[in-house]
DNA sequence: TGTACATCAGTGAACGCGCGTTCACTGATGTAC
DNA sequence: TGTACATCAGTGAACGCGCGTTCACTGATGTAC
């Protein structure tokens, strides 16, 4: 990976940590993955990062501040994953959207700690504008994808893009949090979450195409 | 509501509480609604129920045990709501399923405390069989509804009932937890969650009907 | 109907512990000259 | 290149507090006779 300073070596850290903020985030993710987003303390995170209990105060106001930062980073990572999966709509919008769905599930499954900080830590969005915006940006990918797909549909049956994007998000999030979580709260089904989501998106898109011009 | 003994009166409770288990549940629901499922202590719940910190130990092993009981009761309440909404498929299965969806959203919106105990408290299902079963029973309603709807479809295009039920659950849960929560983590949209879900279910059902007999 | 007794569901005092937070401090790093 | 100094990011001791949990106890209730 390559740290910036090689004065930082395990076991011989020295007085200054050098990258405590990042180390706290990583340590906290481990704690969340291990015991859930609720069951650890600020002091525990400091200890896990190998630092005194007072040190985190140089970087975060309190525990909630740390959690919000983790959720923020999580949304940015998710956004990057979704952008990559969307790949500007290649090879074709329908396939690219399927890839986006798969990427969403993969993120939820492989980063349960980020995921639960993002969606289950009950961080009030009306007091964390940066966090809400990061969430909106990730959602934006679904919106762009929906718009592209809608543009390829006959004029008469085009649904509102925002609605379609919301539907896809709800479906992906629902599948991920009920059946695709990476922890012991996961529910079992006779099919893979990826298959389940893929089938749903297929049916949904067929339903859109079948939509009556005058219907509703 | 009518308590069993009228010796129990506010302010003159006496030595025995009479219904501490229920009182703890209710007090805890208030605490969850107020500050989220994570941010209260066992002692706090006891205090809110007007009882010493040692008293809850007569009824619950620890805080997790209390939370699991709340989630369990929540699933039972949800199941009852869904049964009522389904109403044995009247007036017709499609309308009844819409009613089920609305009931699901209503539950999530009006009982955010139950809802977050059920879905966001990260209770390990593999160690709480009763809880998992209660969840399965609630899900069972969606299954029954799906079966009924499928039975009315042409033989050639019938999807697996379990898949359809999972799709509906994922969609409902996704809409509820992203857009329909009753707290400050709710996301805003230019449409009501009920409309959003209803539109999605409509599109989904049309997609099912449009399904090609041979189309995988 | 009355009495004795077992059981149940609370109390409240006690304990050790770790958390959150502050504070004066100190070692390391960066920069001006 | 060297020195002085400001700034930064840690330490560790200290504190009060409330939590979780146990315990002997006690008041209320139910029941046998």
């Amino acid at each position: 990976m390559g740290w910036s300073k090689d004065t930082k070596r395990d076991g011989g850290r020295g007085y200054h940590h050098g990258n405590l903020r990042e180390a706290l985030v990583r340590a906290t993710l481990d704690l969340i993955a291990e015991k859930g987003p609720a069951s650890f303390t600020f002091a525990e995170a400091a200890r896990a990062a190998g630092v005194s209990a007072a040190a985190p105060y140089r970087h975060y106001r309190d525990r909630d501040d740390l959690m919000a930062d983790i959720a923020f980073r999580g949304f940015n990572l998710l956004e990057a994953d979704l952008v990559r999966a969307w790949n500007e709509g290649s090879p074709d919008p329908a396939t690219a959207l399927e890839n986006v769905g798969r990427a969403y599930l993969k993120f939820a499954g492989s980063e349960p700690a980020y995921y639960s900080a993002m969606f289950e830590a009950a961080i009030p969005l009306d007091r964390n504008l940066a966090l809400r915006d990061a969430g909106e940006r990730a959602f934006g990918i679904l919106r762009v994808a929906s718009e592209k797909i809608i543009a390829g549909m006959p004029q008469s049956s085009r649904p509102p893009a925002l609605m379609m994007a919301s539907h896809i998000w709800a479906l992906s999030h629902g599948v991920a949090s009920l059946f695709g979580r990476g922890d012991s709260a996961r529910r079992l089904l006779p099919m893979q979450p990826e298959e389940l989501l893929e089938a749903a998106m297929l049916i949904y898109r067929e339903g859109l195409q079948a939509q009556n011009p005058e219907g509703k």
Side-chain angles (χ1 to χ4, degrees), chain A:
Chain A
M1 281 278 123
W3 257 234
S4 43
K5 314 268 156 134
D6 68 0
T7 48
K8 176 146 50 48
R9 280 271 138 257
D10 267 326
R13 202 199 77 211
Y15 197 90
H16 284 91
H17 186 287
N19 219 353
L20 182 53
R21 218 180 154 89
E22 262 65 30
L24 277 171
V25 168
R26 244 173 304 139
T28 303
L29 285 170
D30 289 346
L31 290 173
I32 295 175
E34 202 182 319
K35 316 192 295 166
S39 53
F40 71 91
T41 64
F42 206 31
E44 218 169 334
R47 212 178 307 129
V51 108
S52 80
Y57 288 89
R58 298 279 175 206
H59 300 276
Y60 294 105
R61 201 167 6 84
D62 54 22
R63 207 194 97 114
D64 287 352
D65 196 24
L66 169 59
M67 281 298 280
D69 187 34
I70 289 176
F72 177 77
R73 287 159 183 253
F75 277 116
N76 288 337
L77 290 175
L78 176 61
E79 185 197 359
D81 281 2
L82 297 188
V83 165
R84 206 173 306 120
W86 171 244
N87 193 20
E88 288 170 356
S90 346
D92 62 275
T95 307
L97 181 61
E98 265 176 34
N99 291 337
V100 168
R102 251 194 300 277
Y104 194 100
L105 285 184
K106 192 174 169 217
F107 182 86
S110 66
E111 302 286 0
Y114 273 118
Y115 204 79
S116 75
M118 290 154 70
F119 292 108
E120 293 169 6
I123 304 168
L125 292 180
D126 47 5
R127 256 150 215 175
N128 279 280
L129 286 326
L131 180 58
R132 198 189 53 195
D133 289 350
E136 291 294 323
R137 278 198 304 277
F139 176 57
I141 312 302
L142 300 182
R143 232 190 126 148
V144 166
S146 299
E147 277 161 5
K148 190 89 166 241
I149 285 184
I150 288 168
M153 294 173 63
Q155 201 105 39
S156 58
S157 65
R158 293 181 176 170
L162 186 57
M163 183 192 80
M164 176 174 170
S166 304
H167 283 160
I168 290 176
W169 194 12
L171 205 43
S172 307
H173 178 68
V175 170
S177 61
L178 291 176
F179 309 111
R181 17 193 333 149
D183 59 28
S184 62
R186 169 188 206 146
R187 283 170 176 79
L188 298 174
L189 267 191
M191 57 196 304
Q192 292 296 314
E194 287 78 12
E195 297 176 67
L196 189 68
L197 179 58
E198 208 173 304
M201 295 211 302
L202 188 71
I203 294 166
Y204 180 83
R205 275 193 297 104
E206 295 204 18
L208 280 183
Q209 276 154 14
Q211 203 78 321
N212 212 321
E214 253 62 41
K216 160 84 213 245

